[in-house]
Amino acid sequence: MEMRRLGKTGLSVAPIVIGGNVFGWTADEKTSFAILDAFFDAGLNAIDTADVYSAWVPGNKGGDSEEIIGRWLKQSGVSRDRALIISKVGSDMGQGKTLKAGYILKAVEASLSRLQTDYIDLYLSHWPDADTPHEETLGAYAKLKEQGKIRAIGCSNFDAGLLQASFDTAEKAGLPRYDVLQPEYNLYARASFEGPLAELCVAEDIGVITYFSLAAGFLTGKYRSKADTQGRAREGRVSTYFDEKGLRILAALDKVSAETGAKPAEISLAWLLRKRGVTAPIASATSLAQLESLAKAATLSLSDQAMALLDEAGAEGTEP
């Protein structure tokens, strides 16, 4: 399996990152273990989670995904150095969204305990926090790096202005900078990453791991109308994609699928893997069949003609 350099972190990641947001939500523990086993058997190596996953599920408290990953790590037989663990801090766990230093230093201990590990490979600021200076947040991460509790840091949901400001602060204060960005980016939602943010990531050699890479399942092609989403766990989000642009994208995916024999989900991920600045997309699986498809995407090569067709279908201008 090809490994991709993750910016300046010193870490290497396979082309597809498995999303842990479904663990303890739409995938129970037994299913989650089977998916993780198959993922590593396929030669892939990175798991994305967050302390807040999956607090939105009735009966869950947050940390559920990390706990499942921790139990899997202990019984899987996969050595810790083969598993690249990505987690995030700063989401609302009852205290509001915050990147205060004191909160981060406590939150990481809780994540390490749930993950049953001594270190997190990549630790991300989940959301911007306008009330906390970059210097305070980066200072907390500097302490954790010195203590060996985290190896590298990144951020999610930052725009180009915020990311540049964090770089400026890090340089001025002599603190570690964010070396990875996790943006929302897929065939449908392109405007927030393409342009200044992507160019900044390329210029600064920032690793980019995309989330909502399959648009909450819309880009798998299994939903063909709003009616298909009714009663599904992601109904509210998926139904928003059924507009003129969304239908154009589905038609383009069908055409490329007919030409290549690949599934729409595989094509959507392969498209991301060819986009400027992208290191690896995150994608979730709730069955072994879905996991097998994700693994295929890691080695699927799209032609220039297919890329052009998909680019045109998902061009901005018809956002809901």
Side-chain angles (χ1 to χ4, degrees):
M1 182 65 67
E2 169 207 11
M3 289 290 165
R4 293 183 161 205
R5 178 177 157 275
L6 189 56
K8 293 182 177 179
T9 62
L11 304 172
S12 294
V13 62
I16 302 294
V17 176
I18 192 70
N21 61 315
V22 298
F23 300 156
W25 176 27
T26 50
D28 62 19
E29 183 161 316
K30 181 179 179 181
T31 302
S32 301
F33 279 20
I35 287 167
L36 286 167
D37 286 341
F39 182 77
F40 279 83
D41 286 347
L44 302 164
N45 74 323
I47 310 168
D48 177 83
T49 188
D51 57 5
V52 76
Y53 297 166
S54 48
W56 56 87
V57 179
N60 285 7
K61 60 188 181 303
D64 312 87
S65 172
E66 289 182 328
E67 288 176 349
I68 288 173
I69 293 166
R71 288 192 287 270
W72 173 81
L73 276 170
K74 284 299 180 185
Q75 63 82 53
S76 67
V78 173
S79 62
R80 179 63 184 87
D81 60 354
R82 273 192 61 208
L84 195 157
I85 305 296
I86 305 164
S87 196
K88 299 180 280 292
V89 64
S91 281
D92 187 357
M93 296 278 283
Q95 76 298 318
K97 293 178 180 178
T98 181
L99 294 174
K100 295 288 186 188
Y103 179 75
I104 290 171
L105 295 175
K106 286 189 291 187
V108 74
E109 297 297 341
S111 285
L112 288 168
S113 177
R114 289 188 291 260
L115 289 163
Q116 300 189 51
T117 186
D118 296 328
Y119 66 94
I120 295 168
D121 296 279
L122 175 59
Y123 203 41
L124 305 179
S125 294
H126 206 161
W127 299 95
D129 175 11
D131 296 326
T132 304
H134 293 301
E135 186 169 354
E136 178 178 342
T137 302
L138 295 175
Y141 291 143
K143 288 181 182 178
L144 293 176
K145 289 187 77 171
E146 289 167 7
Q147 294 167 358
K149 292 176 180 177
I150 60 176
R151 296 177 66 191
I153 61 171
C155 57
S156 184
N157 300 300
F158 278 43
D159 62 20
L162 267 177
L163 189 57
Q164 183 62 62
S166 75
F167 293 158
D168 294 343
T169 296
E171 183 175 11
K172 184 177 180 181
L175 292 168
R177 71 166 196 174
Y178 294 125
D179 279 319
V180 177
L181 176 72
Q182 190 175 114
E184 177 179 0
Y185 186 44
N186 57 54
L187 262 170
Y188 187 101
R190 292 166 55 179
S192 63
F193 179 67
E194 291 182 358
L197 185 54
E199 294 305 317
L200 178 60
C201 288
V202 170
E204 294 289 340
D205 194 12
I206 301 300
V208 175
I209 300 173
T210 62
Y211 77 88
F212 280 162
S213 306
L214 294 175
F218 174 75
L219 296 172
T220 65
K222 65 181 177 182
Y223 306 110
R224 293 294 169 162
S225 69
K226 286 187 178 182
D228 292 341
T229 70
Q230 291 178 2
R232 307 301 284 264
R234 304 188 183 201
E235 175 184 353
R237 179 171 291 275
V238 177
S239 62
T240 65
Y241 297 115
F242 283 99
D243 60 5
E244 182 183 346
K245 180 169 75 169
L247 295 175
R248 281 202 315 268
I249 291 169
L250 290 181
L253 286 170
D254 287 343
K255 185 172 183 181
V256 177
S257 181
E259 292 171 353
T260 62
K263 295 177 180 177
E266 296 161 14
I267 296 163
S268 298
L269 295 173
W271 177 85
L272 280 168
L273 283 166
R274 281 200 58 184
K275 296 306 287 185
R276 177 174 166 81
V278 173
T279 308
I282 301 166
S284 303
T286 56
S287 69
L288 291 178
Q290 289 178 6
L291 190 281
E292 182 181 351
S293 186
L294 299 187
K296 287 180 181 177
T299 57
L300 175 62
S301 179
L302 296 179
S303 68
D304 291 343
Q305 292 84 353
M307 289 294 294
L309 178 70
L310 294 166
D311 282 339
E312 184 178 358
E316 295 298 333
T318 56
E319 293 282 4

